[in-house]
């Protein structure tokens, strides 16, 4: 099923853009991706890179690292041209980064954080997780770290002592696995990732239940380093915004479980910035 | 067939013992295979666990140092996922608390080891597969063997990796081996049972023949005991041959006994006849002489003469009858020739013509002999006339005469009414009760002649074919 769809997308990419393949030898655009999306799908990333490269006239290379921090360091250090990062590191480094586009999920550039527990573990609310094992996604994740801590703080609980023990899984899908397999009693995950996983692997998400839905936050954005020439930034923004208008682009978006990419203002992330300030970690 | 005989029969015991041995063999094989497989699997399991533990050690130490629970869990969990995998792995930190396990629901993060595994032996040789005693509350389904690998970083203990190994994962394989054994046995039995049944039947068939035949011995005349007996080279075949030889000996004995009885009887009859003849002949001669003397002494009136004639005729008839019983074979000293025998053929011609019976004559007798001509001629004539009489109209009588060694041999054979066995036994007696219409002395005379000439006469009746066979010594023993 997935393979057939993949073949279909390749076919679309090849036929509609056959004449506009990236010029060989031109310096590639380096695009960092983090676990804000399902970054384990190399085949899909290759297809997307081909599509973007054909539009851009330059090859596009996706760069992956185990942790958000590493991608952010590469971006800030000028070794990446653009990256898909979480809203939390964005608000921390807003001055050094420029918003290129924000994905549109279920009709708006917004998403939620979910707190999940085992489907049959008896835990029905976030408060019941007190004194239990809890899995964070990444210390630089809004949904998988900042929001649940902020929520606890809002309840007047100390996020460092509310749980018996916590650990990082370094990825939202792993957090879902940790809860499903009983390694953790609860976890905070990206709602978009959970929903997308629920479509891809319903047996896995079926072992978990959502016990807390956060308010809507700005969706993890695609940002560029300030060093990237303005022309490139504009071009990349145009291509991403226009992806929903292209058949092959739409097929790729469907794989991502997204409607498309839209322009956004930094103000979209003020809630996250507020939480970051509240927890005293704002940069 | 009653139950005990049913089970005693080789027809049942043979396939049954085949089946039992097949089942036993299959069972022992399955057991041996299963046991060996278990030993091999345990060794493999221990080796694999040890190898895996050493391969993971460095990464696990890193995970412990970095407090990277997920890294440790991902390693121990392996590609099979949680709750899967044959061994239970538990990573313990330096404080003796569970750090990760591939059974995350059971061995929780931060759980003290002495709480998670209260039965864990205090002193265990590290990096060795140790069997766990059944005592101490060890859950045997969970752990039958134990591997403890202490983890060191820079000479300092940072934790320990524990593997709990059990046979539980192999039980399905055992079941497969057993089921396979059972299926093979059933298959073999499906083949062996009918084969064994057939084999048993084949083996038992000659025994049944033999026992059937044996049960007739003593109830039936061994000479008429016709049985199909096994004759192959097997032990049963030998038994069959020996039994047949025994029956033949019995038959021979029986025949000899009959023959002796018959000759004794005939000899007794002969003695009685001769005695009676002598006793009758003496007064008879006196009476005849008295009649003669009476006739010569005086003239007779007609009435007396007629009375004397009547008396004389009656006395002569008695004399004839008595002398017929007294066969005198040695009266005539003229020796027998082939021509004498051919004369018999001529003598029988009128009777042959009247009866319409064909005669096949084969006379090859041409040697000199001291046998007297007249009794032998009478013997042959009697036999030939008897045969012509017994042969049916249009039938044939075959006569063969020849010398064989120092004996004259003589066959007279006709096709006609078969002679019943009970008649054969009394055939040579005078006035046999079973032949009231015959004159009754022909065969008696034949027997007397043959006996007096030192020969043997035998009769055989096979169906419609009746054969008289006479064997006479060419040189008469001097009496």
């Amino acid at each position: 099923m997935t393979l057939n769809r993949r073949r279909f997308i390749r076919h679309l990419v090849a036929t509609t853009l056959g004449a506009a393949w990236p010029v060989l030898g031109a310096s590639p655009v380096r695009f960092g991706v983090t676990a804000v999306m399902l970054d384990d799908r190399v085949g899909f990333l290759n297809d997307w890179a081909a599509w973007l490269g054909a539009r851009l006239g330059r090859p596009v290379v996706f760069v992956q690292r185990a942790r958000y921090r590493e991608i952010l360091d590469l971006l800030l250090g000028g070794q990446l041209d653009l990256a898909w990062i979480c809203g939390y590191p964005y608000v921390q480094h807003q001055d050094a980064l420029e918003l290129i586009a924000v994905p549109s999920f279920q009709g708006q550039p917004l998403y939620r954080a979910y707190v999940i527990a085992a489907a049959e573990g008896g835990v029905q609310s976030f408060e019941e997780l007190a004194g239990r094992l809890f899995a964070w996604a990444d210390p630089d994740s809004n949904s998988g770290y900042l929001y649940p801590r902020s929520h606890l703080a809002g309840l007047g609980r100390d996020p460092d002592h509310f749980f018996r023990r916590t650990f990082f899984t370094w990825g939202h899908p792993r957090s879902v696995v940790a809860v499903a397999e009983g390694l953790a009693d609860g976890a905070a995950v990206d709602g978009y990732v959970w929903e997308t996983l629920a479509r891809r692997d319903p047996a896995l998400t079926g072992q978990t239940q959502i016990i807390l839905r956060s308010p809507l936050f700005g969706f993890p954005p695609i940002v560029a380093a300030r060093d990237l020439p303005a022309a490139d930034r504009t071009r990349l923004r145009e291509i991403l915004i226009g992806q929903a208008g292209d058949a092959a682009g739409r097929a790729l978006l469907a794989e991502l479980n997204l409607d498309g990419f839209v322009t956004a203002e930094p103000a979209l992330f003020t809630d996250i910035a507020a939480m970051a300030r509240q927890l005293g970690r704002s940069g | 067939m009653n139950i005990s005989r049913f089970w005693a029969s080789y027809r049942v015991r043979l396939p049954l013992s085949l089946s039992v041995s097949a089942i036993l063999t299959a069972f022992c094989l399955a057991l041996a295979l299963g046991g060996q497989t278990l030993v091999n699997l345990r060794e493999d399991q221990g080796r694999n666990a040890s190898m895996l533990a050493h391969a993971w050690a460095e990464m696990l130490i890193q995970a412990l140092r970095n407090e990277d629970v997920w890294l440790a869990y991902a390693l121990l969990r392996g590609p099979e996922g949680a709750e899967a995998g044959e061994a239970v792995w538990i990573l313990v930190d330096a404080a003796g608390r569970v750090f990760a396990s591939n059974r995350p629901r059971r061995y929780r993060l931060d759980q003290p080891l002495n709480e998670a595994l209260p039965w864990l032996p205090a002193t265990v040789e590290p990096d060795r597969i140790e069997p766990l005693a059944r005592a101490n509350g060890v859950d045997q389904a969970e752990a039958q063997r134990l591997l403890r690998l202490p983890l060191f970083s820079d000479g300092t203990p940072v934790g320990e990796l524990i593997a709990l190994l059990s046979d539980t994962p192999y039980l399905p394989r055992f079941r497969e081996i057993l089921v396979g054994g059972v299926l093979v046995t059933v298959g073999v039995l499906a083949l062996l049972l009918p084969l064994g049944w057939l084999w048993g039947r084949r083996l038992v068939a000659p025994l049944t023949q033999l026992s059937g035949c044996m049960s007739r011995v003593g109830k039936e005349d061994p000479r008429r005991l016709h049985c199909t007996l096994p004759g192959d080279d097997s032990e049963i075949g030998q038994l069959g041959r020996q039994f047949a030889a025994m029956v033949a000996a019995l038959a021979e004995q029986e025949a000899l006994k009959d023959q002796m009885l018959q000759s004794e009887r005939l000899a007794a009859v002969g003695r009685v006849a001769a005695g009676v003849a002598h006793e009758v002949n003496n007064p008879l001669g006196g009476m005849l002489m008295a009649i003669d003397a009476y006739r010569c002494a005086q003239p007779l009136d007609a009435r007396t003469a007629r009375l004397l004639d009547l008396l004389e005729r009656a006395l002569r008839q008695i004399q004839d009858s008595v002398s017929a019983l007294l066969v005198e074979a040695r009266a005539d000293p003229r020796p027998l020739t082939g021509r004498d025998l051919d004369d018999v053929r001529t003598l029988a011609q009128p009777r042959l013509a009247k009866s319409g019976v064909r005669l096949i004559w084969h006379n090859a007798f041409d040697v000199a002999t001291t046998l007297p001509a007249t009794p032998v001629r009478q013997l042959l004539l009697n036999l030939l006339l008897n045969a012509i009489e017994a042969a049916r109209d249009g039938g044939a009588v075959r006569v063969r005469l020849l010398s064989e060694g120092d004996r004259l041999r003589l066959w007279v054979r006709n096709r006609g009414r078969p002679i019943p066995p009970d008649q054969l036994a009394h055939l040579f007696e005078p006035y046999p009760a079973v032949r009231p219409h015959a004159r009754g002395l022909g065969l008696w005379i034949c027997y007397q002649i043959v006996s007096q000439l030192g020969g043997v006469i035998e009769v055989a009746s096979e169906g419609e074919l009746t054969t008289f066979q006479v064997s006479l010594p060419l040189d008469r023993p001097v009496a």
Side-chain angles (χ1 to χ4, degrees), chain A residues 46-217:
Chain A
N46 287 344
D47 291 343
W48 197 17
W51 186 86
L52 288 171
R55 283 288 167 124
L56 196 61
R58 278 170 66 187
V60 172
V61 176
F62 279 106
V63 177
Q64 290 178 272
R65 289 294 180 269
R67 300 179 184 189
Y68 287 22
R69 187 80 231 165
E70 294 175 68
I71 289 293
L72 197 68
D73 287 346
L74 289 175
L75 186 63
L76 295 173
Q79 282 142 301
L80 291 177
D81 296 313
L82 73 164
W84 191 352
I85 62 171
C86 185
Y88 180 33
Y90 169 67
V91 297
Q92 287 173 293
H93 303 279
Q94 210 165 341
D95 302 339
L97 303 168
E98 180 172 329
L99 271 179
I100 298 294
V102 178
S104 168
F105 174 57
Q106 294 177 346
Q108 45 188 348
L110 300 170
Y111 82 125
R112 294 175 198 271
Y114 289 169
V115 175
I116 58 170
E120 285 162 11
V123 174
Q124 299 294 331
S125 70
F126 196 15
E127 285 72 23
E128 289 173 49
L129 285 172
R132 289 174 177 261
L133 301 174
F134 195 78
W136 310 116
D138 191 295
D140 290 308
S141 163
N142 170 46
S143 58
Y145 189 69
L146 180 63
Y147 166 72
R149 291 174 71 83
S150 162
H151 180 75
L152 283 174
L155 293 172
R157 310 295 292 265
D158 177 358
D160 287 330
H161 296 99
F162 179 74
F163 304 108
R164 177 155 64 90
R165 174 138 184 189
T166 62
F167 60 92
F168 291 101
T169 63
W170 313 108
H172 297 282
R174 291 173 180 180
S175 291
V176 179
V177 170
V179 171
E181 295 185 354
L183 181 64
D185 296 312
V189 295
D190 184 320
Y192 153 72
V193 171
W194 193 91
E195 296 292 351
T196 308
L197 263 182
R199 285 170 54 163
R200 224 171 84 179
D201 190 359
L204 174 66
T205 52
Q207 290 172 267
T208 65
Q209 58 167 332
I210 301 159
I211 56 173
L212 179 69
R213 282 181 167 82
S214 77
L216 288 164
F217 297 114

Side-chain angles (χ1 to χ4, degrees), chain B residues 296-439:
Chain B
C296 298
Q298 54 201 301
L300 304 172
D301 58 64
R303 191 160 165 260
T304 309
R306 220 172 38 240
L307 194 70
L308 285 180
D309 283 350
L310 186 71
L311 259 177
E312 189 180 5
R313 275 202 307 277
L315 288 173
R316 291 272 175 213
Q317 192 183 345
I318 292 171
Q319 195 176 33
D320 281 355
S321 296
V322 168
S323 42
L325 276 172
L326 269 177
V327 181
E328 272 303 327
R330 296 161 211 176
D332 180 8
R334 193 176 62 86
L336 179 76
T337 63
R339 286 189 54 135
D340 289 316
L341 295 171
D342 278 333
D343 285 348
V344 175
R345 181 188 189 182
T346 314
L347 287 170
Q349 279 306 326
R351 187 74 72 85
L352 274 172
K354 211 168 79 185
S355 63
V357 169
R358 199 153 48 88
L359 175 65
I360 301 161
W361 186 266
H362 180 79
N363 182 4
F365 180 76
D366 55 355
V367 295
T369 173
T370 58
L371 280 169
T374 310
V376 178
R377 277 167 53 133
Q378 193 189 346
L379 165 72
L380 184 56
L381 187 64
N382 278 4
L383 290 176
L384 181 56
L385 293 180
N386 262 355
I388 291 168
E389 192 187 321
R392 284 175 180 168
D393 283 348
V397 172
R398 182 187 289 268
V399 175
R400 271 180 81 205
L401 307 160
L402 53 91
S403 59
E404 195 181 83
D406 59 349
R407 295 185 91 82
L408 162 65
R409 294 185 68 104
L410 191 154
W411 286 269
V412 179
R413 171 177 292 179
N414 72 275
R415 196 175 282 282
R417 278 176 288 111
I419 306 174
D422 54 333
Q423 286 187 23
L424 273 179
H426 301 280
L427 207 59
F428 295 108
E429 292 169 16
Y431 310 110
V434 289
R435 292 202 305 167
H437 305 298
R439 189 168 154 242

Side-chain angles (χ1 to χ4, degrees), chain A residues 164-165 174 180-182 185, chain B residues 67 73 77 104-105 108 110:
Chain A
R164 177 155 64 90
R165 174 138 184 189
R174 291 173 180 180
E181 295 185 354
D185 296 312
Chain B
E67 288 209 40
Y73 175 66
R77 172 182 180 269
R105 289 184 213 278
R108 306 288 290 170
D110 261 0

Side-chain angles (χ1 to χ4, degrees), chain B residues 7-25:
Chain B
W7 288 112
S9 166
Y10 279 105
R11 242 178 279 187
V12 175
R13 280 159 73 176
L14 201 70
L16 215 64
S17 49
L18 271 176
S19 313
V20 166
S21 52
I23 290 171
L24 270 177
T25 310

